[in-house]
Amino acid sequence: MTHFTVSDLSVNYRKNPLGIDDLRPRLSWRISAETRGFVQNAYQVQVAYDPDFGAEIVWDSQKVESDRSVHIEYQGPALKSRTRYYFRVRVWDRQGNVSAWSAPAYWETAFLSAGEWQASWIAAPPRSEESGDEPCDYMRTDFTLPDNVVSARVYATSLGLYRLYVNGVPADDTLFGPGWTSYNKRLQYQTYDVTSLLSAGDNALGCIVGNGWYRGYLAWEGKKEHFGKTRALMIQLYMTLSDGSERIIVSDGNWRVSSGPLRMSELYHGETYDARLEMDGWSSPGFADQDWAKAMITNPPESALVAQENEPARIIETIRPIAVVTTPKGETVLDMGQNMVGWVRFTVRAEAGTVVTLQHAEVLDRDGNFYTGNLRSAKQTITYICRGGEAETFEPHLSFQGFRYVKVTGVPQDQLLESFIGCVIHTDLEPTGSFRCSDELVNQLQHNILWGQKGNFLDIPTDCPQRDERLGWTGDAQVFIRTAAFNMNVVPFFEKWLKDLAADQEADGRVPHVIPDVPIAGYGSAAWGDAAVICPWTLYQCYGDIRVLETQYPSMKAWVEYIRAQGDDEFLWNTGFHFGDWLGLDAKENSYIGATPKDLIATVFYAYSTELLAKTAAVLGKNEDAKAYEGLHENIVRAFRKEFVTPNGRVASPTQTAYVLALMFDLLEEQNRPRTAKMLAEHIEENGVHLTTGFVGTPYLCLVLSRFGYTELAYRLVLQKEYPSWLYSVIQGATTIWEHWDGIKQDGSFWSDDMNSYNHYAYGAIGDWLYRVVGGIDLLEPGYKKIRIQPQIGEQFSWAEASLDSVYGTIKVDWSKQDHGAVKMDVLIPANTTAEVVIPANQGDDILENGERLDQMAGLLGMEQTAQTYILLLGSGNYSFTF
Ligand code: BGC
């Protein structure tokens, strides 16, 4: 019996996924070991068509001597389309013991070559509606089946959003297909296992198609049809019969189309649904559709069809309202208790024709009235017209709302609490992190960060989920990605988005401000476009997977070359449009742009992106590029010093953001760094322990303070309760992160309507500092193969605990102060990793592990001592230190 096992097999970060079109899927597993210090010495992967591995083995890696247990690329013969592949793994330890084979896991391929689509694109023929309504399309077809269907898959996509129904029920619980991509270049299709929904005899498929991102209103100018004018659908249903033969049903000119009860659906504006127009059984077999129009065959879009890449969106949780409020104006308002994104599911019993409306908003105004000013033109309104009779339940189909408060009309107050439920919708990302500490306000801050992520990770990373914006702002995504990667596994989510970023780059490498690009937004700002480089690099760091670097390399390089072509000096970026330190508090009156010079910020990001590109080239073995970009980086650093640092080494622009950036990205000469850090600290102290930084400086502020020995000040900044600070909004009752430090001012008034989101994750980037510095979980090698555990224990907290489910398994740190100044620290290090654990203790101090002296300890691989720390190199396992 060996004392280690292999489990948690995954393919491209997903468990048993369907519809994968990756030709070299990446296989990962985790190891549990009973003893400390487990290292994998070798592995073997087998891939087969059957879960017993009894027949043909498709690929046998044989025993491979390697400590890699994540992202092993499939290297067998070319994969076949629409095929299930099982795989299993066993591993060896350093003593030559081998584990049992893991339980099998699988992935199923989608279409792997062009030309497999036999379906036609179909659309509704043009119709003239009486009102200004723009009803959604209902599409359907009937077919009969023999009784020996053993498996069935639907592949479906649309121009616009769609919901698929099979025999009267939703095909599954996923929402917002086909997802948002740069539609004119890349369009995703989804795979559904519908085996259990079909039956012998009559069957039907139905689909609702609405405007969504493709054709609906987007951005703030009231424009629609950004990607195309005509909604359309394409579906291909494959069935395998027990004799091995196949049957196919496709979308074609025999499908029928009609409008129906869903009279309007827009992402920003909500839905209008007239239940009196319901067509019972429309997606079930035998429905009388002779009055429906015949579907029109339309031209296929030019975009490449790709299998769904990220996890789908779903209703992830539901919450009940905490109160019904009657406002001073007499409005009836539900309080969900949480600023959330998704929709409300409600049940009413009323006479036919009763109009129920739900209007959604984030906050009440200072008098307690319902307030929608900050939504700008987004109506976020559900209008439901009752059918009458039985109780009727409704929830939106193809629209989502960002809200805490719901103003309801048409429903008696006493029905509200029990029959209205908040459905929280976001991309179904695996939660991976948790952070808690002894300060409840900071715990609420972490809660708000997490909810900012939930609300803004609905298929793409958005700036905000409520007003007429909800776009994939590159800068916001870039500043938040590291924090996001603690809270959830974000790889497939960002891999997809980064492919769209690359697709939307012009030949000169410019990066649009928002991805997918919505033409009115513009392109090329420093710290926004740099998402092209920073995001892939961050993913590589956090997950150790070079695929994203390989895929994005041309895009990363193109961005740096774009910058190089700007500026009136090859090594400075001092031209073009920039957002600067967006929303910095040192901005001039009436400006959104902080005081730090834009060319300083731009040159910093030029340097940083170039440095990361050079590192990426080195990782990918592109040595010439690596050298060239290292050289370019040196030149930019030199030019930066000449332009933005005085001859005596002082940063010429004395702003917090300028100091932070220069320090964060190592742009100053070594000897000038401590002094600059001191100036930064003084600046903050002189401001009464307040920050003045905006989008660009804030994410790094506390990290820089901690790195240069000012952790104590970083703690005070984070614990600052007065405006501006992270806790100010918490004290004002925020349940998500605000766009402005003073979204609600002390007197209860608001920041101006024109740009005031209460669900904007950018400043939530402080989560990175909480996990890394307070919790002490950091990485020394990509993917946390080598971990650094170094909590910086603040005076103000008596305990903190952080955990992260890394690709290797769970990393955990839990420290608490004991009597007599001692600290207890429990650490969990996953198998097949090592950790450098830094313990703040003076020479001669007692350090015990599980009551024993350190030199007795199993798992200790090495130890170093400095004046104030012990640095232990540890193998995997559970440890409990007191010092
Ligand atoms: C968005 C931001 C974005 C910014 C660009 C705003 O409207 O909401 O978060 O980064 O524009 O400066």
Side-chain angles (χ1 to χ4, degrees):
M1 257 305 275
T2 45
H3 298 284
F4 52 96
T5 52
V6 180
S7 62
D8 293 294
L9 273 56
S10 62
V11 180
N12 292 0
Y13 304 87
R14 297 166 70 176
K15 302 248 183 298
N16 299 333
L18 303 184
I20 298 289
D21 66 359
D22 185 349
L23 303 176
R24 294 175 295 139
R26 290 151 285 166
L27 315 179
S28 303
W29 54 89
R30 290 185 188 174
I31 300 164
S32 327
E34 278 170 26
T35 49
R36 284 183 179 171
F38 183 89
V39 179
Q40 172 189 295
N41 199 50
Y43 68 83
Q44 182 177 11
V45 179
Q46 286 185 337
V47 175
Y49 297 118
D50 70 296
D52 308 323
F53 294 78
E56 182 187 347
I57 301 288
V58 178
W59 178 52
D60 190 334
S61 72
Q62 306 294 349
K63 181 173 173 183
V64 180
E65 299 221 341
S66 163
D67 66 350
R68 281 189 58 195
S69 53
V70 295
H71 322 309
I72 306 292
E73 283 185 352
Y74 169 80
Q75 284 168 32
L79 296 167
K80 297 187 217 161
S81 280
R82 298 185 295 102
T83 303
R84 181 175 290 196
Y85 291 91
Y86 290 90
F87 73 110
R88 62 178 183 176
V89 179
R90 61 177 172 170
V91 304
W92 283 259
D93 68 5
R94 286 203 167 144
Q95 288 69 44
N97 302 307
V98 62
S99 72
W101 284 107
S102 69
Y106 63 82
W107 79 96
E108 228 176 78
T109 54
F111 297 133
L112 299 186
S113 55
E116 292 184 65
W117 284 96
Q118 303 170 28
S120 302
W121 278 95
I122 56 172
R127 55 178 169 241
S128 54
E129 298 297 333
E130 302 111 58
S131 62
D133 269 1
E134 204 173 72
C136 292
D137 302 319
Y138 286 66
M139 303 186 169
R140 72 178 309 282
T141 195
D142 285 302
F143 53 98
T144 49
L145 288 179
D147 62 2
N148 59 341
V149 172
V150 290
S151 112
R153 299 284 180 274
V154 170
Y155 301 90
T157 183
S158 61
L159 300 175
L161 291 172
Y162 75 96
R163 289 290 290 278
L164 174 68
Y165 299 82
V166 181
N167 291 331
V169 297
D172 68 7
D173 60 355
T174 63
L175 300 169
F176 296 101
W180 192 5
T181 50
S182 302
Y183 289 128
N184 296 328
K185 291 143 192 162
R186 292 167 9 93
L187 175 63
Q188 296 187 132
Y189 60 90
Q190 284 67 44
T191 305
Y192 303 82
D193 179 354
V194 297
T195 315
S196 64
L197 302 179
L198 298 176
S199 44
D202 295 335
N203 290 272
L205 289 177
C207 217
I208 302 178
V209 185
N211 285 347
W213 295 290
Y214 182 82
R215 183 173 182 269
Y217 291 94
L218 280 183
W220 49 87
E221 288 182 350
K223 291 191 185 150
K224 55 190 292 205
E225 300 179 349
H226 290 273
F227 296 93
K229 288 190 191 313
T230 310
R231 297 186 297 232
L233 173 73
M234 181 164 72
I235 286 192
Q236 194 149 312
L237 162 61
Y238 278 95
M239 286 152 298
T240 310
L241 310 184
S242 56
D243 60 6
S245 64
E246 220 168 45
R247 277 204 50 192
I248 306 184
I249 303 288
V250 296
S251 50
D252 58 20
N254 293 322
W255 281 54
R256 298 283 179 153
V257 191
S258 168
S259 62
L262 193 49
R263 306 311 294 166
M264 183 281 285
S265 176
E266 284 288 340
L267 289 161
Y268 294 167
H269 301 317
E271 294 195 345
T272 300
Y273 187 90
D274 188 343
R276 295 169 305 179
L277 304 178
E278 279 179 350
M279 309 166 292
D280 290 341
W282 72 273
S283 64
S284 298
F287 175 78
D289 62 9
Q290 57 276 13
D291 296 341
W292 288 30
K294 277 200 148 186
M296 212 176 67
I297 307 264
T298 62
N299 291 331
E302 278 167 22
S303 37
L305 282 174
V306 294
Q308 164 108 17
E309 289 161 332
N310 62 345
E311 300 84 349
R314 291 193 168 89
I315 296 174
I316 305 293
E317 58 197 296
T318 56
I319 53 182
R320 296 231 158 237
I322 57 168
V324 183
V325 189
T326 304
T327 68
K329 283 191 182 158
E331 304 146 315
T332 300
V333 174
L334 278 174
D335 178 359
M336 304 308 296
Q338 171 65 49
N339 197 16
M340 58 166 280
V341 174
W343 60 49
V344 172
R345 179 192 298 148
F346 59 93
T347 302
V348 288
R349 186 190 284 273
E351 270 173 41
T354 307
V355 179
V356 175
T357 64
L358 282 68
Q359 238 184 306
H360 302 72
E362 292 188 290
V363 290
L364 301 180
D365 71 13
R366 76 167 126 183
D367 303 320
N369 289 313
F370 193 70
Y371 166 78
T372 55
N374 70 325
L375 304 177
R376 306 194 304 219
S377 74
K379 296 198 183 78
Q380 294 214 115
T381 300
I382 303 301
T383 305
Y384 179 82
I385 303 159
C386 296
R387 164 179 187 151
E390 300 286 286
E392 38 201 303
T393 298
F394 179 77
E395 64 190 301
H397 303 72
L398 307 171
S399 170
F400 66 86
Q401 289 76 50
F403 61 102
R404 170 171 173 169
Y405 297 96
V406 189
K407 181 171 121 186
V408 184
T409 67
V411 183
Q413 274 224 9
D414 59 346
Q415 284 185 24
L416 289 176
L417 272 187
E418 76 276 18
S419 54
F420 281 62
I421 293 176
C423 300
V424 177
I425 299 172
H426 55 88
T427 297
D428 196 357
L429 302 172
E430 180 198 345
T432 50
S434 75
F435 174 86
R436 285 187 341 117
C437 66
S438 53
D439 189 305
E440 276 315 315
L441 293 174
V442 175
N443 291 338
Q444 181 67 37
L445 172 64
Q446 166 63 16
H447 168 102
N448 295 0
I449 295 169
L450 188 62
W451 276 84
Q453 183 166 352
K454 292 180 187 187
N456 285 293
F457 274 33
L458 209 171
D459 207 58
I460 63 153
T462 54
D463 56 335
C464 58
Q466 74 297 78
R467 68 180 177 220
D468 51 6
E469 196 148 350
R470 313 183 189 190
L471 302 174
W473 280 96
T474 47
D476 306 47
Q478 176 269 109
V479 304
F480 188 64
I481 186 171
R482 183 75 195 250
T483 300
F486 275 107
N487 290 327
M488 300 176 190
N489 182 331
V490 295
V491 185
F493 179 79
F494 272 106
E495 279 185 325
K496 161 182 168 282
W497 183 73
L498 285 167
K499 286 182 190 169
D500 290 309
L501 184 151
D504 278 339
Q505 263 174 302
E506 298 279 334
D508 66 359
R510 67 177 68 163
V511 175
H513 297 325
V514 302
I515 301 294
D517 188 18
V518 175
I520 59 179
Y523 61 88
S525 169
W528 270 251
D530 294 282
V533 176
I534 296 171
C535 293
W537 181 256
T538 305
L539 294 179
Y540 169 64
Q541 287 297 302
C542 296
Y543 301 91
D545 185 356
I546 64 166
R547 175 69 66 86
V548 67
L549 297 184
E550 284 171 2
T551 309
Q552 296 303 127
Y553 190 74
S555 151
M556 297 165 82
K557 187 168 164 175
W559 170 246
V560 169
E561 289 301 331
Y562 169 79
I563 305 175
R564 201 213 291 245
Q566 314 300 308
D568 51 24
D569 173 320
E570 188 184 350
F571 307 121
L572 292 175
W573 191 7
N574 53 11
T575 53
F577 170 84
H578 298 285
F579 291 111
D581 191 20
W582 187 246
L583 306 188
L585 294 172
D586 46 12
K588 289 202 188 104
E589 191 72 20
N590 294 326
S591 165
Y592 282 138
I593 297 176
T596 309
K598 288 182 181 175
D599 55 352
L600 181 149
I601 294 174
T603 304
V604 166
F605 279 88
Y606 182 15
Y608 184 42
S609 279
T610 303
E611 184 189 2
L612 297 185
L613 181 64
K615 288 183 178 172
T616 302
V619 170
L620 298 178
K622 298 178 189 293
N623 298 335
E624 261 172 45
D625 273 12
K627 249 217 199 116
Y629 288 111
E630 273 160 29
L632 176 58
H633 178 250
E634 278 164 27
N635 281 322
I636 301 167
V637 172
R638 222 169 285 135
F640 177 90
R641 289 176 186 164
K642 215 166 131 208
E643 183 77 12
F644 301 109
V645 183
T646 66
N648 283 343
R650 182 189 268 264
V651 175
S653 308
T655 68
Q656 290 182 13
T657 291
Y659 295 142
V660 165
L661 295 180
L663 289 168
M664 181 76 193
F665 301 117
D666 300 327
L667 295 172
L668 303 176
E669 285 182 53
E670 201 71 50
Q671 74 268 18
N672 295 325
R673 294 176 190 178
R675 168 188 178 202
T676 307
K678 187 156 172 270
M679 291 170 96
L680 169 64
E682 283 167 2
H683 195 296
I684 295 167
E685 296 276 12
E686 279 159 18
N687 255 280
V689 194
H690 285 119
L691 47 74
T692 56
T693 48
F695 267 41
V696 170
T698 305
Y700 310 118
L701 178 56
C702 287
L703 290 175
V704 164
L705 288 173
S706 289
R707 174 169 153 203
F708 288 93
Y710 295 93
T711 292
E712 201 270 335
L713 178 58
Y715 267 94
R716 279 194 283 141
L717 255 187
V718 170
L719 292 171
Q720 173 63 265
K721 296 187 178 74
E722 276 168 27
Y723 162 82
S725 69
W726 285 276
L727 293 189
Y728 171 78
S729 64
V730 170
I731 288 166
Q732 297 288 312
T735 57
T736 39
I737 301 291
W738 296 350
E739 180 173 24
H740 293 270
W741 296 111
D742 56 348
I744 300 176
K745 297 178 197 281
Q746 229 123 28
D747 64 2
S749 65
F750 295 142
W751 182 272
S752 87
D753 279 358
D754 66 354
M755 218 188 57
N756 191 16
S757 152
Y758 293 98
N759 199 352
H760 230 76
Y761 54 53
Y763 291 149
I766 189 65
D768 185 12
W769 181 83
L770 294 175
Y771 277 104
R772 279 209 258 179
V773 177
V774 181
I777 298 180
D778 207 342
L779 54 84
L780 287 171
E781 282 175 21
Y784 297 87
K785 179 79 171 129
K786 185 166 180 190
I787 304 157
R788 167 144 50 210
I789 307 275
Q790 185 178 18
Q792 299 199 26
I793 294 171
E795 227 174 84
Q796 298 90 335
F797 290 1
S798 55
W799 59 269
E801 58 180 47
S803 73
L804 171 66
D805 282 329
S806 74
V807 285
Y808 293 96
T810 305
I811 304 166
K812 203 168 167 194
V813 180
D814 181 350
W815 60 259
S816 56
K817 293 179 183 165
Q818 314 285 301
D819 296 341
H820 314 299
V823 176
K824 178 169 179 295
M825 180 166 84
D826 295 340
V827 173
L828 175 62
I829 302 163
N832 207 23
T833 68
T834 57
E836 196 177 280
V837 178
V838 183
I839 295 184
N842 295 321
Q843 293 215 6
D845 281 2
D846 270 348
I847 303 182
L848 298 176
E849 195 277 313
N850 254 320
E852 307 275 331
R853 290 185 28 190
L854 291 187
D855 47 16
Q856 315 280 322
M857 179 172 75
L860 183 65
L861 306 173
M863 177 155 72
E864 239 180 81
Q865 240 173 298
T866 69
Q868 286 162 355
T869 54
Y870 281 73
I871 304 175
L872 315 178
L873 183 61
L874 301 180
S876 66
N878 252 308
Y879 298 84
S880 181
F881 298 99
T882 20
F883 48 91

